[in-house]
Amino acid sequence: MTNNDTFLTQTRTPKIEKWLRTIEAEITPMFGRGKVADYIPALARVNARQFGMAIALVNGEQYTAGDAHTLFSSQSISKLFTFVLALKIEGDAIWQRIGREPSGNAFNSMVQLESERGIPRNPFINAGALVVTDILTSRYAHLDLALLSFLQRLTGSANLNWSPEVAKSELETAHRNMAMAYFMKSFGNLANTPQAVLDNYCKQCATEMSCAQLAQAAMFLANDGLDVGSGDQVLSPEATRRVNALLLTCGAYDAAGDYAYRIGLPLKTGVGGGIVAVVPNVGTIAVWSPELDAKGNSLIGGYALERFMQLSGWGRLSLTM
Ligand code: GLN
């Protein structure tokens, strides 16, 4: 019996619909408690009162709620996919340029960069993601197209794109990220010009996906690195386990400890209000609601994930060998 078979005998999937309806009802009064990201002007224009959720199982089933098919700006969720691409290119050599410890600081903080000589704490804070983008900028003449084609294969959707409006809006206001890029360049930890890296970074952050697409895109992380739809072994099972460990410890910035306590899953958040979480051997959960908490994570999204874990008991599944 495989782990997947074990899971299917242990859960009663019709209940997933019920859990989603419960969560939808519970989150409705929560609109207005958070704040849509406004430091990127184009994101401030998003309608705040939206909520979507998608559950994808390794057996191919998918369950959705609310605005699960509405496109939203992936923002830092893109860092997960660019990191996977860079890891495939660099392997363990990537750890000479980026650390793998939680930063305990805001996603856009610069404070550790000086004492740690331009080596960012982890690949998911902005500084680390900029180094990842630098690696990919050296490798791909058109990183935006390379990332889109990777995501198109993973989602099985041919029509993914990045928003020129959001990318332009972020680039025009990217003073802090630009400063970080120059700072790392001064330490020799950027091969390309800060302008070229920022241009690619803003495009990758502007990539748009729906919850339904995002849940599919991350599915290989729940499945030992194998993307069933395309048949691609995206990462080895060992590398997949390690990416999930990084997502658990660093995927929600300085709220990673709180998220691990409340939700307990490898996950990645973004200031567009999306979160994608991995339940190894079971499936993925994508959730989106644009209002953020003080740390830049989706307020309702975090609540919905916590409630889903409570209702489903998935985090309590014991592995049968
Ligand atoms: N594009 C955003 C930035 O660099 C991404 C941040 C995020 O989603 N946390 O500020």
Side-chain angles (χ1 to χ4, degrees), residues 39-40 75-76 79 107 126 170 177 201 205 253 269-272:
Y39 73 100
I40 300 171
Q75 293 299 315
S76 281
K79 294 171 181 172
F107 64 86
N126 284 13
E170 177 164 5
N177 285 333
Y201 176 81
C205 289
Y253 319 114
T269 64
V271 292

Side-chain angles (χ1 to χ4, degrees), residues 83 87 92 95 236-247:
F83 174 65
L87 190 62
D92 277 348
W95 304 122
S236 69
E238 181 67 356
T240 305
R241 187 177 67 83
R242 290 179 159 167
V243 171
N244 282 333
L246 287 167
L247 289 171

